[in-house]
Amino acid sequence: MKTSVEPGYAPALYALGVCCDIGDLVGKDELKAGYFFERAAKLGYSKAKFEHGRNLFYGSHGFDKKSQLGWQLVQDAANEHVEDAKEFIRNVAPPHRT
């Protein structure tokens, strides 16, 4: 998988993030997972937008809390038909606007 990740293949970056996040095939490492989700999100990968957005929303996986930016990424993922993002929106109130 390393060969697919190096040139910036978003689905491979996302898959590696999932593996790092749950500790499947590699050691569990939330910081690495966050890094891979961020890279895949920046490449436009919808599922990664949800994961990275959630990390920003809560301030997890090594990222500072940036609720509005995180919420926007989750909304983008939902608009791109990511079911987990749609469910997240249904279950979590949007951040307060000031």
Side-chain angles (χ1 to χ4, degrees):
M1 181 166 358
K2 185 178 179 190
T3 303
S4 297
V5 172
E6 286 175 359
Y9 182 60
L13 290 164
Y14 172 78
L16 190 53
V18 170
C19 289
C20 290
D21 201 32
I22 62 175
D24 187 22
L25 304 174
V26 296
K28 184 174 175 72
D29 188 330
E30 290 182 351
L31 295 178
K32 282 186 182 177
Y35 168 78
F36 289 123
F37 290 145
E38 179 186 31
R39 282 191 56 201
K42 286 182 176 181
L43 291 169
Y45 195 66
S46 300
K47 291 180 182 179
K49 287 180 187 179
F50 168 63
E51 294 297 341
H52 184 53
R54 195 169 54 163
N55 290 338
L56 291 173
F57 184 80
Y58 288 119
S60 64
H61 288 68
F63 291 93
D64 292 333
K65 186 173 183 174
K66 296 180 182 176
S67 296
Q68 284 187 301
L69 178 57
W71 188 257
Q72 184 59 56
L73 284 169
V74 170
Q75 286 180 317
D76 291 349
N79 291 336
E80 295 167 11
H81 309 291
V82 175
E83 291 301 318
D84 288 340
K86 291 177 183 180
E87 183 176 339
F88 184 85
I89 288 170
R90 285 192 297 270
N91 292 320
V92 178
H96 292 39
R97 309 262 186 227
T98 55

